[in-house]
């Protein structure tokens, strides 16, 4: 049941990205072009996403278990550190250069051919390299900040 729900919501998310035009790298890059021909479409998509997600997160904070029986595990830290800033900067740099982020890239696999395939392959490779590189630090970080 969990896999069926994940597939259904992933499909719904993909349809939403297509309808909103967020699979078009030119539209995303136009949003980032604040000094030129700025396109505010992405801002409206983000506002809509926040409007839907905020009540769901508020409910999740009060519920220990999701509708399908899975334990809800939300991040418990609000700390802004070098790792968060560095990861955000790298994500933003890649997004700004390509005009695509992971969600739309997966949708584009269905019709954008080789460029989408190369993007997703590079995305997976980058994630693997980051995980491998940060693995020793992650172990130290977890030990140092483990609750008593």
């Amino acid at each position: 049941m969990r896999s069926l729900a994940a597939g259904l919501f992933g499909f719904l998310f993909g349809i939403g990205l297509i309808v909103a035009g967020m699979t078009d790298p030119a539209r995303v890059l136009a949003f980032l072009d604040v000094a030129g021909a700025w396109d505010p479409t992405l801002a409206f998509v983000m506002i809509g996403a926040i409007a839907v997600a905020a009540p769901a997160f508020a409910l999740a904070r009060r519920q220990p278990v999701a509708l399908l029986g899975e334990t809800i595990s939300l991040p418990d830290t609000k700390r802004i550190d070098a790792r968060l800033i560095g990861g955000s900067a790298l994500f933003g740099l890649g997004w700004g250069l390509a005009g695509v982020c992971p969600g739309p890239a997966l949708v584009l696999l269905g019709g954008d051919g080789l460029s989408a395939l190369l993007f997703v392959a590079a995305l997976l490779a980058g994630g693997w390299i980051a995980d491998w590189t940060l693995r020793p630090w992650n172990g130290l970080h977890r030990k140092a900040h483990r609750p008593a």
Side-chain angles (χ1 to χ4, degrees):
M1 181 57 112
R2 181 175 173 225
S3 295
L4 180 63
L8 177 64
F9 293 128
F11 180 75
L12 181 63
F13 181 69
I15 295 295
L17 289 172
I18 291 167
V19 169
M22 295 299 104
T23 57
D24 179 5
R27 179 165 286 187
V28 174
L29 292 172
F31 170 75
L32 298 172
D33 185 12
V34 293
W38 186 64
D39 179 356
T41 306
L42 181 56
F44 291 112
V45 172
M46 288 180 187
I47 291 167
I50 291 168
V52 170
F57 274 97
L59 180 63
R61 282 188 181 86
R62 293 190 303 263
Q63 299 265 342
V65 178
L67 293 175
L68 295 178
E70 298 285 326
T71 301
I72 295 175
S73 176
L74 296 175
D76 58 355
T77 183
K78 294 181 172 113
R79 192 181 69 207
I80 297 174
D81 58 9
R83 188 170 168 197
L84 175 65
I85 292 170
S88 300
L90 284 172
F91 180 88
L93 183 64
W95 189 42
L97 290 172
V100 180
C101 66
L106 294 176
V107 173
L108 289 171
L109 278 176
D112 200 30
L114 186 59
S115 62
L117 186 62
L118 290 172
F119 182 89
V120 171
L123 174 76
L124 294 173
W128 180 82
I129 290 168
D131 183 55
W132 181 77
T133 304
L134 296 172
R135 189 168 290 157
W137 186 84
N138 284 340
L140 293 174
H141 179 72
R142 283 191 199 109
K143 289 177 189 170
H145 290 42
R146 186 171 286 154

